[in-house]
Amino acid sequence: MAEEIKSPAPPPPPEGEKKPAAEKTAAAAPAAPAKPADPAKPAVPAAKPAAPAATPAAPAAKPAAPAKPAGPVPMPWTSPLVEKYKSQYGSGLDAQTYLGQNYFSVDRSLIPNLLRLLRDEEQFDYCVDITAVHYPKREKQFDLIWTLYSFPRNQRVRVKTQIADGAAISSSVAIWPTANWLEREVYDMFGIKFDGHPGLKRILLPDGWKGFPLRKDYGILQQDQEWVQINLGIESGQ
C-alpha cells in the first residue's frame, strides 16, 4: 500500500503581517437588534433639565417726590383808598391783598382812629367780625383783625394789628355797637383786653374759668379741672 504523503504545513506568517481573511476563524457576528419596548410598561420620561437660578431683580428706584407747588403770597394792594391813608400815616400803615382779600396792616397806636375814619369817611358802616390769631413764638404774640363791610361801596376790607400778650387795646364799641359781643369773644378765647368796653367778661365759657382755649399753648383736651370739679362734681375728662 502506498504510503500517504502529507503536505507540509505552511510556515507561520511573519510577525506583524496580517493573516489572510481565509484564515480568520469566524466573521464578526452582527450586532443584536434593539429589543422592542414593552407596550405594557409606560415609557420613562426623560429627566427635566434643571431650571437656571433666577437672578433677583434689582429694586425699582423710588420716584422722586414732586416739587411742592408754590402757594399764593400776599401782594401789594394799590387803590385811591390806600394812597390816601398811606400819605397820612406813612410807615405806620401797609396795604396788601391776598386771595382777593384786601387788608391794612397798621401800628397798634392807629387804633381806633383809623377804624373811625373808615366808618365816617369811607362808609364802612358794618363791623362783620373781630378775631385774633396766636403766634406763641413771636414777640408780639397776637394778630388782632377787624373785618369791615361797606354797604354803599359793596366792599370789604380788613384791618390788622399786632399786640403783645397782656397788653390792652382800645375798644371799638363806640364806633360799631356790634363790636360789643365780638370783643367779649376775643377776650374769652384769647385773653385780649379792650379798654373802654362797657362790660368785658366771658361770653362762651362760664365766669371763673381759667385759661383761654384758642391760644396755641392751650391743649385741645385741656379743661379747667378745678371749675369742673366744683361746679359739676365730676373729674375733668369724664
PDB file of all heavy atoms in Angstrom, residues 188-226:
ATOM      1  N   ASP A 188     -62.643 136.191  75.722  1.00  0.00           N
ATOM      2  CA  ASP A 188     -62.932 134.864  76.271  1.00  0.00           C
ATOM      3  C   ASP A 188     -61.994 133.801  75.708  1.00  0.00           C
ATOM      4  O   ASP A 188     -61.506 132.936  76.433  1.00  0.00           O
ATOM      5  CB  ASP A 188     -64.389 134.508  75.938  1.00  0.00           C
ATOM      6  CG  ASP A 188     -64.915 133.350  76.768  1.00  0.00           C
ATOM      7  OD1 ASP A 188     -64.187 132.855  77.652  1.00  0.00           O
ATOM      8  OD2 ASP A 188     -66.060 132.931  76.533  1.00  0.00           O
ATOM      9  N   MET A 189     -61.713 133.860  74.413  1.00  0.00           N
ATOM     10  CA  MET A 189     -60.924 132.805  73.761  1.00  0.00           C
ATOM     11  C   MET A 189     -59.418 133.065  73.776  1.00  0.00           C
ATOM     12  O   MET A 189     -58.621 132.126  73.757  1.00  0.00           O
ATOM     13  CB  MET A 189     -61.396 132.634  72.305  1.00  0.00           C
ATOM     14  CG  MET A 189     -62.827 132.137  72.158  1.00  0.00           C
ATOM     15  SD  MET A 189     -63.024 130.409  72.694  1.00  0.00           S
ATOM     16  CE  MET A 189     -63.844 130.652  74.289  1.00  0.00           C
ATOM     17  N   PHE A 190     -59.012 134.355  73.798  1.00  0.00           N
ATOM     18  CA  PHE A 190     -57.581 134.688  73.707  1.00  0.00           C
ATOM     19  C   PHE A 190     -57.043 135.452  74.916  1.00  0.00           C
ATOM     20  O   PHE A 190     -55.829 135.545  75.082  1.00  0.00           O
ATOM     21  CB  PHE A 190     -57.317 135.520  72.446  1.00  0.00           C
ATOM     22  CG  PHE A 190     -57.570 134.791  71.164  1.00  0.00           C
ATOM     23  CD1 PHE A 190     -58.799 134.882  70.523  1.00  0.00           C
ATOM     24  CD2 PHE A 190     -56.583 134.007  70.573  1.00  0.00           C
ATOM     25  CE1 PHE A 190     -59.043 134.220  69.330  1.00  0.00           C
ATOM     26  CE2 PHE A 190     -56.811 133.342  69.381  1.00  0.00           C
ATOM     27  CZ  PHE A 190     -58.048 133.440  68.758  1.00  0.00           C
ATOM     28  N   GLY A 191     -57.920 136.048  75.704  1.00  0.00           N
ATOM     29  CA  GLY A 191     -57.462 136.816  76.851  1.00  0.00           C
ATOM     30  C   GLY A 191     -57.034 138.230  76.526  1.00  0.00           C
ATOM     31  O   GLY A 191     -56.408 138.893  77.363  1.00  0.00           O
ATOM     32  N   ILE A 192     -57.357 138.738  75.343  1.00  0.00           N
ATOM     33  CA  ILE A 192     -57.008 140.113  74.969  1.00  0.00           C
ATOM     34  C   ILE A 192     -58.039 141.074  75.571  1.00  0.00           C
ATOM     35  O   ILE A 192     -59.252 140.877  75.404  1.00  0.00           O
ATOM     36  CB  ILE A 192     -56.956 140.263  73.441  1.00  0.00           C
ATOM     37  CG1 ILE A 192     -55.886 139.328  72.860  1.00  0.00           C
ATOM     38  CG2 ILE A 192     -56.682 141.708  73.047  1.00  0.00           C
ATOM     39  CD1 ILE A 192     -55.863 139.281  71.346  1.00  0.00           C
ATOM     40  N   LYS A 193     -57.567 142.122  76.232  1.00  0.00           N
ATOM     41  CA  LYS A 193     -58.463 143.070  76.894  1.00  0.00           C
ATOM     42  C   LYS A 193     -58.677 144.308  76.018  1.00  0.00           C
ATOM     43  O   LYS A 193     -57.765 144.739  75.297  1.00  0.00           O
ATOM     44  CB  LYS A 193     -57.885 143.480  78.243  1.00  0.00           C
ATOM     45  CG  LYS A 193     -57.782 142.316  79.234  1.00  0.00           C
ATOM     46  CD  LYS A 193     -57.188 142.768  80.561  1.00  0.00           C
ATOM     47  CE  LYS A 193     -57.087 141.594  81.524  1.00  0.00           C
ATOM     48  NZ  LYS A 193     -56.497 141.996  82.830  1.00  0.00           N
ATOM     49  N   PHE A 194     -59.888 144.864  76.114  1.00  0.00           N
ATOM     50  CA  PHE A 194     -60.276 146.037  75.333  1.00  0.00           C
ATOM     51  C   PHE A 194     -60.615 147.168  76.295  1.00  0.00           C
ATOM     52  O   PHE A 194     -61.620 147.092  77.028  1.00  0.00           O
ATOM     53  CB  PHE A 194     -61.471 145.717  74.431  1.00  0.00           C
ATOM     54  CG  PHE A 194     -61.157 144.709  73.351  1.00  0.00           C
ATOM     55  CD1 PHE A 194     -61.244 143.345  73.605  1.00  0.00           C
ATOM     56  CD2 PHE A 194     -60.763 145.129  72.085  1.00  0.00           C
ATOM     57  CE1 PHE A 194     -60.954 142.412  72.611  1.00  0.00           C
ATOM     58  CE2 PHE A 194     -60.469 144.203  71.095  1.00  0.00           C
ATOM     59  CZ  PHE A 194     -60.562 142.842  71.360  1.00  0.00           C
ATOM     60  N   ASP A 195     -59.775 148.187  76.297  1.00  0.00           N
ATOM     61  CA  ASP A 195     -60.030 149.342  77.162  1.00  0.00           C
ATOM     62  C   ASP A 195     -61.280 150.086  76.702  1.00  0.00           C
ATOM     63  O   ASP A 195     -61.458 150.345  75.511  1.00  0.00           O
ATOM     64  CB  ASP A 195     -58.836 150.297  77.136  1.00  0.00           C
ATOM     65  CG  ASP A 195     -57.625 149.740  77.853  1.00  0.00           C
ATOM     66  OD1 ASP A 195     -57.798 148.852  78.712  1.00  0.00           O
ATOM     67  OD2 ASP A 195     -56.501 150.204  77.552  1.00  0.00           O
ATOM     68  N   GLY A 196     -62.135 150.451  77.666  1.00  0.00           N
ATOM     69  CA  GLY A 196     -63.340 151.209  77.358  1.00  0.00           C
ATOM     70  C   GLY A 196     -64.537 150.345  77.000  1.00  0.00           C
ATOM     71  O   GLY A 196     -65.611 150.882  76.682  1.00  0.00           O
ATOM     72  N   HIS A 197     -64.380 149.017  77.036  1.00  0.00           N
ATOM     73  CA  HIS A 197     -65.539 148.155  76.767  1.00  0.00           C
ATOM     74  C   HIS A 197     -66.537 148.289  77.922  1.00  0.00           C
ATOM     75  O   HIS A 197     -66.149 148.306  79.088  1.00  0.00           O
ATOM     76  CB  HIS A 197     -65.089 146.698  76.628  1.00  0.00           C
ATOM     77  CG  HIS A 197     -66.162 145.786  76.132  1.00  0.00           C
ATOM     78  ND1 HIS A 197     -67.208 145.339  76.926  1.00  0.00           N
ATOM     79  CD2 HIS A 197     -66.381 145.241  74.903  1.00  0.00           C
ATOM     80  CE1 HIS A 197     -67.994 144.552  76.221  1.00  0.00           C
ATOM     81  NE2 HIS A 197     -67.510 144.488  74.991  1.00  0.00           N
ATOM     82  N   PRO A 198     -67.845 148.372  77.602  1.00  0.00           N
ATOM     83  CA  PRO A 198     -68.832 148.627  78.656  1.00  0.00           C
ATOM     84  C   PRO A 198     -69.050 147.462  79.626  1.00  0.00           C
ATOM     85  O   PRO A 198     -69.582 147.674  80.728  1.00  0.00           O
ATOM     86  CB  PRO A 198     -70.114 148.939  77.879  1.00  0.00           C
ATOM     87  CG  PRO A 198     -69.914 148.296  76.551  1.00  0.00           C
ATOM     88  CD  PRO A 198     -68.456 148.367  76.259  1.00  0.00           C
ATOM     89  N   GLY A 199     -68.683 146.253  79.258  1.00  0.00           N
ATOM     90  CA  GLY A 199     -68.907 145.116  80.167  1.00  0.00           C
ATOM     91  C   GLY A 199     -68.087 143.914  79.724  1.00  0.00           C
ATOM     92  O   GLY A 199     -68.656 142.888  79.339  1.00  0.00           O
ATOM     93  N   LEU A 200     -66.783 144.027  79.801  1.00  0.00           N
ATOM     94  CA  LEU A 200     -65.905 142.976  79.279  1.00  0.00           C
ATOM     95  C   LEU A 200     -65.898 141.779  80.230  1.00  0.00           C
ATOM     96  O   LEU A 200     -65.360 141.849  81.338  1.00  0.00           O
ATOM     97  CB  LEU A 200     -64.480 143.504  79.101  1.00  0.00           C
ATOM     98  CG  LEU A 200     -63.520 142.604  78.320  1.00  0.00           C
ATOM     99  CD1 LEU A 200     -63.985 142.413  76.881  1.00  0.00           C
ATOM    100  CD2 LEU A 200     -62.107 143.185  78.346  1.00  0.00           C
ATOM    101  N   LYS A 201     -66.506 140.694  79.799  1.00  0.00           N
ATOM    102  CA  LYS A 201     -66.494 139.438  80.553  1.00  0.00           C
ATOM    103  C   LYS A 201     -66.685 138.294  79.565  1.00  0.00           C
ATOM    104  O   LYS A 201     -66.977 138.512  78.384  1.00  0.00           O
ATOM    105  CB  LYS A 201     -67.593 139.427  81.610  1.00  0.00           C
ATOM    106  CG  LYS A 201     -68.999 139.544  81.051  1.00  0.00           C
ATOM    107  CD  LYS A 201     -70.031 139.524  82.174  1.00  0.00           C
ATOM    108  CE  LYS A 201     -71.455 139.602  81.601  1.00  0.00           C
ATOM    109  NZ  LYS A 201     -72.477 139.544  82.681  1.00  0.00           N
ATOM    110  N   ARG A 202     -66.512 137.090  80.057  1.00  0.00           N
ATOM    111  CA  ARG A 202     -66.638 135.919  79.175  1.00  0.00           C
ATOM    112  C   ARG A 202     -68.037 135.855  78.571  1.00  0.00           C
ATOM    113  O   ARG A 202     -69.017 136.278  79.188  1.00  0.00           O
ATOM    114  CB  ARG A 202     -66.319 134.644  79.949  1.00  0.00           C
ATOM    115  CG  ARG A 202     -64.845 134.525  80.356  1.00  0.00           C
ATOM    116  CD  ARG A 202     -64.562 133.149  80.927  1.00  0.00           C
ATOM    117  NE  ARG A 202     -63.183 133.000  81.375  1.00  0.00           N
ATOM    118  CZ  ARG A 202     -62.176 132.567  80.625  1.00  0.00           C
ATOM    119  NH1 ARG A 202     -62.392 132.253  79.352  1.00  0.00           N
ATOM    120  NH2 ARG A 202     -60.958 132.447  81.110  1.00  0.00           N
ATOM    121  N   ILE A 203     -68.092 135.258  77.371  1.00  0.00           N
ATOM    122  CA  ILE A 203     -69.373 135.161  76.680  1.00  0.00           C
ATOM    123  C   ILE A 203     -69.730 133.714  76.334  1.00  0.00           C
ATOM    124  O   ILE A 203     -70.903 133.372  76.193  1.00  0.00           O
ATOM    125  CB  ILE A 203     -69.361 136.036  75.404  1.00  0.00           C
ATOM    126  CG1 ILE A 203     -70.756 136.134  74.790  1.00  0.00           C
ATOM    127  CG2 ILE A 203     -68.350 135.501  74.387  1.00  0.00           C
ATOM    128  CD1 ILE A 203     -70.844 137.136  73.651  1.00  0.00           C
ATOM    129  N   LEU A 204     -68.720 132.848  76.200  1.00  0.00           N
ATOM    130  CA  LEU A 204     -68.961 131.435  75.869  1.00  0.00           C
ATOM    131  C   LEU A 204     -68.670 130.529  77.059  1.00  0.00           C
ATOM    132  O   LEU A 204     -69.443 129.608  77.336  1.00  0.00           O
ATOM    133  CB  LEU A 204     -68.091 131.014  74.669  1.00  0.00           C
ATOM    134  CG  LEU A 204     -68.340 131.771  73.364  1.00  0.00           C
ATOM    135  CD1 LEU A 204     -67.330 131.351  72.298  1.00  0.00           C
ATOM    136  CD2 LEU A 204     -69.757 131.529  72.869  1.00  0.00           C
ATOM    137  N   LEU A 205     -67.586 130.779  77.735  1.00  0.00           N
ATOM    138  CA  LEU A 205     -67.230 129.986  78.907  1.00  0.00           C
ATOM    139  C   LEU A 205     -67.782 130.636  80.174  1.00  0.00           C
ATOM    140  O   LEU A 205     -68.042 131.842  80.198  1.00  0.00           O
ATOM    141  CB  LEU A 205     -65.706 129.854  79.007  1.00  0.00           C
ATOM    142  CG  LEU A 205     -65.056 129.017  77.897  1.00  0.00           C
ATOM    143  CD1 LEU A 205     -63.542 129.116  77.980  1.00  0.00           C
ATOM    144  CD2 LEU A 205     -65.497 127.580  77.965  1.00  0.00           C
ATOM    145  N   PRO A 206     -67.960 129.864  81.228  1.00  0.00           N
ATOM    146  CA  PRO A 206     -68.517 130.426  82.469  1.00  0.00           C
ATOM    147  C   PRO A 206     -67.526 131.344  83.163  1.00  0.00           C
ATOM    148  O   PRO A 206     -66.308 131.228  82.992  1.00  0.00           O
ATOM    149  CB  PRO A 206     -68.816 129.177  83.312  1.00  0.00           C
ATOM    150  CG  PRO A 206     -67.896 128.125  82.781  1.00  0.00           C
ATOM    151  CD  PRO A 206     -67.756 128.402  81.320  1.00  0.00           C
ATOM    152  N   ASP A 207     -68.060 132.260  83.954  1.00  0.00           N
ATOM    153  CA  ASP A 207     -67.203 133.128  84.766  1.00  0.00           C
ATOM    154  C   ASP A 207     -66.366 132.261  85.705  1.00  0.00           C
ATOM    155  O   ASP A 207     -66.845 131.263  86.258  1.00  0.00           O
ATOM    156  CB  ASP A 207     -68.059 134.100  85.588  1.00  0.00           C
ATOM    157  CG  ASP A 207     -68.791 135.106  84.702  1.00  0.00           C
ATOM    158  OD1 ASP A 207     -68.300 135.352  83.585  1.00  0.00           O
ATOM    159  OD2 ASP A 207     -69.845 135.616  85.134  1.00  0.00           O
ATOM    160  N   GLY A 208     -65.128 132.646  85.891  1.00  0.00           N
ATOM    161  CA  GLY A 208     -64.251 131.876  86.763  1.00  0.00           C
ATOM    162  C   GLY A 208     -63.450 130.807  86.058  1.00  0.00           C
ATOM    163  O   GLY A 208     -62.574 130.191  86.662  1.00  0.00           O
ATOM    164  N   TRP A 209     -63.718 130.561  84.779  1.00  0.00           N
ATOM    165  CA  TRP A 209     -62.937 129.571  84.020  1.00  0.00           C
ATOM    166  C   TRP A 209     -61.503 130.074  83.849  1.00  0.00           C
ATOM    167  O   TRP A 209     -61.276 131.251  83.595  1.00  0.00           O
ATOM    168  CB  TRP A 209     -63.572 129.347  82.649  1.00  0.00           C
ATOM    169  CG  TRP A 209     -62.961 128.233  81.857  1.00  0.00           C
ATOM    170  CD1 TRP A 209     -61.882 128.313  81.039  1.00  0.00           C
ATOM    171  CD2 TRP A 209     -63.405 126.889  81.805  1.00  0.00           C
ATOM    172  NE1 TRP A 209     -61.619 127.091  80.475  1.00  0.00           N
ATOM    173  CE2 TRP A 209     -62.541 126.183  80.933  1.00  0.00           C
ATOM    174  CE3 TRP A 209     -64.447 126.190  82.414  1.00  0.00           C
ATOM    175  CZ2 TRP A 209     -62.686 124.836  80.643  1.00  0.00           C
ATOM    176  CZ3 TRP A 209     -64.603 124.850  82.138  1.00  0.00           C
ATOM    177  CH2 TRP A 209     -63.738 124.179  81.259  1.00  0.00           C
ATOM    178  N   LYS A 210     -60.545 129.178  84.011  1.00  0.00           N
ATOM    179  CA  LYS A 210     -59.137 129.535  83.882  1.00  0.00           C
ATOM    180  C   LYS A 210     -58.608 129.110  82.518  1.00  0.00           C
ATOM    181  O   LYS A 210     -58.798 127.980  82.111  1.00  0.00           O
ATOM    182  CB  LYS A 210     -58.324 128.882  84.987  1.00  0.00           C
ATOM    183  CG  LYS A 210     -58.694 129.360  86.390  1.00  0.00           C
ATOM    184  CD  LYS A 210     -57.914 128.609  87.453  1.00  0.00           C
ATOM    185  CE  LYS A 210     -58.328 129.058  88.847  1.00  0.00           C
ATOM    186  NZ  LYS A 210     -57.613 128.287  89.911  1.00  0.00           N
ATOM    187  N   GLY A 211     -57.932 130.033  81.851  1.00  0.00           N
ATOM    188  CA  GLY A 211     -57.343 129.704  80.555  1.00  0.00           C
ATOM    189  C   GLY A 211     -58.155 130.252  79.400  1.00  0.00           C
ATOM    190  O   GLY A 211     -59.323 130.640  79.544  1.00  0.00           O
ATOM    191  N   PHE A 212     -57.506 130.259  78.221  1.00  0.00           N
ATOM    192  CA  PHE A 212     -58.111 130.826  77.006  1.00  0.00           C
ATOM    193  C   PHE A 212     -57.959 129.807  75.881  1.00  0.00           C
ATOM    194  O   PHE A 212     -56.873 129.635  75.322  1.00  0.00           O
ATOM    195  CB  PHE A 212     -57.434 132.157  76.673  1.00  0.00           C
ATOM    196  CG  PHE A 212     -57.447 133.123  77.835  1.00  0.00           C
ATOM    197  CD1 PHE A 212     -56.311 133.304  78.615  1.00  0.00           C
ATOM    198  CD2 PHE A 212     -58.605 133.805  78.168  1.00  0.00           C
ATOM    199  CE1 PHE A 212     -56.320 134.175  79.686  1.00  0.00           C
ATOM    200  CE2 PHE A 212     -58.629 134.677  79.248  1.00  0.00           C
ATOM    201  CZ  PHE A 212     -57.481 134.858  80.016  1.00  0.00           C
ATOM    202  N   PRO A 213     -59.037 129.113  75.518  1.00  0.00           N
ATOM    203  CA  PRO A 213     -58.947 127.899  74.684  1.00  0.00           C
ATOM    204  C   PRO A 213     -58.408 128.070  73.270  1.00  0.00           C
ATOM    205  O   PRO A 213     -57.965 127.090  72.684  1.00  0.00           O
ATOM    206  CB  PRO A 213     -60.401 127.401  74.646  1.00  0.00           C
ATOM    207  CG  PRO A 213     -61.013 127.939  75.893  1.00  0.00           C
ATOM    208  CD  PRO A 213     -60.382 129.268  76.100  1.00  0.00           C
ATOM    209  N   LEU A 214     -58.427 129.260  72.681  1.00  0.00           N
ATOM    210  CA  LEU A 214     -57.931 129.397  71.311  1.00  0.00           C
ATOM    211  C   LEU A 214     -56.475 129.821  71.245  1.00  0.00           C
ATOM    212  O   LEU A 214     -55.947 130.037  70.155  1.00  0.00           O
ATOM    213  CB  LEU A 214     -58.804 130.362  70.502  1.00  0.00           C
ATOM    214  CG  LEU A 214     -60.193 129.813  70.133  1.00  0.00           C
ATOM    215  CD1 LEU A 214     -60.904 130.765  69.180  1.00  0.00           C
ATOM    216  CD2 LEU A 214     -60.117 128.429  69.526  1.00  0.00           C
ATOM    217  N   ARG A 215     -55.822 129.883  72.375  1.00  0.00           N
ATOM    218  CA  ARG A 215     -54.370 130.069  72.354  1.00  0.00           C
ATOM    219  C   ARG A 215     -53.714 128.754  71.956  1.00  0.00           C
ATOM    220  O   ARG A 215     -54.185 127.676  72.308  1.00  0.00           O
ATOM    221  CB  ARG A 215     -53.855 130.517  73.725  1.00  0.00           C
ATOM    222  CG  ARG A 215     -54.268 131.932  74.116  1.00  0.00           C
ATOM    223  CD  ARG A 215     -53.496 132.373  75.340  1.00  0.00           C
ATOM    224  NE  ARG A 215     -53.844 133.715  75.756  1.00  0.00           N
ATOM    225  CZ  ARG A 215     -53.045 134.512  76.469  1.00  0.00           C
ATOM    226  NH1 ARG A 215     -51.835 134.073  76.819  1.00  0.00           N
ATOM    227  NH2 ARG A 215     -53.422 135.710  76.820  1.00  0.00           N
ATOM    228  N   LYS A 216     -52.593 128.872  71.232  1.00  0.00           N
ATOM    229  CA  LYS A 216     -51.909 127.667  70.755  1.00  0.00           C
ATOM    230  C   LYS A 216     -51.301 126.860  71.899  1.00  0.00           C
ATOM    231  O   LYS A 216     -51.061 125.660  71.752  1.00  0.00           O
ATOM    232  CB  LYS A 216     -50.804 128.048  69.768  1.00  0.00           C
ATOM    233  CG  LYS A 216     -51.319 128.705  68.495  1.00  0.00           C
ATOM    234  CD  LYS A 216     -52.086 127.729  67.629  1.00  0.00           C
ATOM    235  CE  LYS A 216     -52.599 128.394  66.355  1.00  0.00           C
ATOM    236  NZ  LYS A 216     -51.538 128.896  65.498  1.00  0.00           N
ATOM    237  N   ASP A 217     -51.046 127.495  73.028  1.00  0.00           N
ATOM    238  CA  ASP A 217     -50.467 126.768  74.157  1.00  0.00           C
ATOM    239  C   ASP A 217     -51.528 126.181  75.078  1.00  0.00           C
ATOM    240  O   ASP A 217     -51.214 125.692  76.166  1.00  0.00           O
ATOM    241  CB  ASP A 217     -49.517 127.675  74.953  1.00  0.00           C
ATOM    242  CG  ASP A 217     -50.163 129.001  75.342  1.00  0.00           C
ATOM    243  OD1 ASP A 217     -51.385 129.153  75.146  1.00  0.00           O
ATOM    244  OD2 ASP A 217     -49.435 129.897  75.833  1.00  0.00           O
ATOM    245  N   TYR A 218     -52.790 126.225  74.663  1.00  0.00           N
ATOM    246  CA  TYR A 218     -53.889 125.630  75.432  1.00  0.00           C
ATOM    247  C   TYR A 218     -54.249 124.318  74.749  1.00  0.00           C
ATOM    248  O   TYR A 218     -54.730 124.305  73.622  1.00  0.00           O
ATOM    249  CB  TYR A 218     -55.088 126.590  75.451  1.00  0.00           C
ATOM    250  CG  TYR A 218     -56.206 126.211  76.419  1.00  0.00           C
ATOM    251  CD1 TYR A 218     -56.271 126.782  77.678  1.00  0.00           C
ATOM    252  CD2 TYR A 218     -57.194 125.301  76.054  1.00  0.00           C
ATOM    253  CE1 TYR A 218     -57.296 126.466  78.561  1.00  0.00           C
ATOM    254  CE2 TYR A 218     -58.216 124.975  76.924  1.00  0.00           C
ATOM    255  CZ  TYR A 218     -58.263 125.554  78.174  1.00  0.00           C
ATOM    256  OH  TYR A 218     -59.286 125.228  79.043  1.00  0.00           O
ATOM    257  N   GLY A 219     -53.989 123.177  75.434  1.00  0.00           N
ATOM    258  CA  GLY A 219     -54.217 121.864  74.828  1.00  0.00           C
ATOM    259  C   GLY A 219     -55.655 121.663  74.400  1.00  0.00           C
ATOM    260  O   GLY A 219     -56.586 122.153  75.046  1.00  0.00           O
ATOM    261  N   ILE A 220     -55.824 120.896  73.315  1.00  0.00           N
ATOM    262  CA  ILE A 220     -57.175 120.719  72.756  1.00  0.00           C
ATOM    263  C   ILE A 220     -58.092 119.961  73.713  1.00  0.00           C
ATOM    264  O   ILE A 220     -59.310 120.120  73.685  1.00  0.00           O
ATOM    265  CB  ILE A 220     -57.076 120.007  71.386  1.00  0.00           C
ATOM    266  CG1 ILE A 220     -58.429 120.058  70.666  1.00  0.00           C
ATOM    267  CG2 ILE A 220     -56.592 118.575  71.547  1.00  0.00           C
ATOM    268  CD1 ILE A 220     -58.357 119.586  69.233  1.00  0.00           C
ATOM    269  N   LEU A 221     -57.523 119.114  74.576  1.00  0.00           N
ATOM    270  CA  LEU A 221     -58.317 118.369  75.562  1.00  0.00           C
ATOM    271  C   LEU A 221     -58.231 118.976  76.952  1.00  0.00           C
ATOM    272  O   LEU A 221     -58.781 118.430  77.897  1.00  0.00           O
ATOM    273  CB  LEU A 221     -57.856 116.904  75.612  1.00  0.00           C
ATOM    274  CG  LEU A 221     -57.997 116.111  74.305  1.00  0.00           C
ATOM    275  CD1 LEU A 221     -57.480 114.694  74.493  1.00  0.00           C
ATOM    276  CD2 LEU A 221     -59.442 116.093  73.841  1.00  0.00           C
ATOM    277  N   GLN A 222     -57.550 120.104  77.048  1.00  0.00           N
ATOM    278  CA  GLN A 222     -57.370 120.720  78.365  1.00  0.00           C
ATOM    279  C   GLN A 222     -58.687 121.272  78.879  1.00  0.00           C
ATOM    280  O   GLN A 222     -59.511 121.788  78.122  1.00  0.00           O
ATOM    281  CB  GLN A 222     -56.323 121.837  78.252  1.00  0.00           C
ATOM    282  CG  GLN A 222     -56.010 122.533  79.569  1.00  0.00           C
ATOM    283  CD  GLN A 222     -54.926 123.573  79.373  1.00  0.00           C
ATOM    284  OE1 GLN A 222     -54.151 123.510  78.419  1.00  0.00           O
ATOM    285  NE2 GLN A 222     -54.870 124.545  80.263  1.00  0.00           N
ATOM    286  N   GLN A 223     -58.874 121.157  80.198  1.00  0.00           N
ATOM    287  CA  GLN A 223     -60.048 121.729  80.841  1.00  0.00           C
ATOM    288  C   GLN A 223     -59.618 122.392  82.139  1.00  0.00           C
ATOM    289  O   GLN A 223     -58.521 122.139  82.644  1.00  0.00           O
ATOM    290  CB  GLN A 223     -61.101 120.649  81.138  1.00  0.00           C
ATOM    291  CG  GLN A 223     -61.741 120.039  79.907  1.00  0.00           C
ATOM    292  CD  GLN A 223     -62.866 119.081  80.254  1.00  0.00           C
ATOM    293  OE1 GLN A 223     -63.279 118.989  81.411  1.00  0.00           O
ATOM    294  NE2 GLN A 223     -63.365 118.378  79.271  1.00  0.00           N
ATOM    295  N   ASP A 224     -60.485 123.226  82.664  1.00  0.00           N
ATOM    296  CA  ASP A 224     -60.252 123.793  83.987  1.00  0.00           C
ATOM    297  C   ASP A 224     -60.762 122.772  85.003  1.00  0.00           C
ATOM    298  O   ASP A 224     -61.944 122.738  85.348  1.00  0.00           O
ATOM    299  CB  ASP A 224     -60.988 125.124  84.118  1.00  0.00           C
ATOM    300  CG  ASP A 224     -60.734 125.805  85.450  1.00  0.00           C
ATOM    301  OD1 ASP A 224     -60.113 125.174  86.336  1.00  0.00           O
ATOM    302  OD2 ASP A 224     -61.160 126.958  85.621  1.00  0.00           O
ATOM    303  N   GLN A 225     -59.862 121.886  85.432  1.00  0.00           N
ATOM    304  CA  GLN A 225     -60.272 120.771  86.286  1.00  0.00           C
ATOM    305  C   GLN A 225     -60.913 121.258  87.583  1.00  0.00           C
ATOM    306  O   GLN A 225     -61.868 120.656  88.075  1.00  0.00           O
ATOM    307  CB  GLN A 225     -59.071 119.877  86.582  1.00  0.00           C
ATOM    308  CG  GLN A 225     -58.466 119.256  85.317  1.00  0.00           C
ATOM    309  CD  GLN A 225     -57.332 118.303  85.634  1.00  0.00           C
ATOM    310  OE1 GLN A 225     -57.084 117.971  86.783  1.00  0.00           O
ATOM    311  NE2 GLN A 225     -56.616 117.866  84.604  1.00  0.00           N
ATOM    312  N   GLU A 226     -60.370 122.343  88.131  1.00  0.00           N
ATOM    313  CA  GLU A 226     -60.930 122.854  89.392  1.00  0.00           C
ATOM    314  C   GLU A 226     -62.370 123.305  89.203  1.00  0.00           C
ATOM    315  O   GLU A 226     -63.257 122.975  90.007  1.00  0.00           O
ATOM    316  CB  GLU A 226     -60.059 124.003  89.901  1.00  0.00           C
ATOM    317  CG  GLU A 226     -60.534 124.579  91.225  1.00  0.00           C
ATOM    318  CD  GLU A 226     -59.667 125.740  91.687  1.00  0.00           C
ATOM    319  OE1 GLU A 226     -58.683 126.074  90.971  1.00  0.00           O
ATOM    320  OE2 GLU A 226     -59.968 126.328  92.743  1.00  0.00           O
TER     321      GLU A 226
END
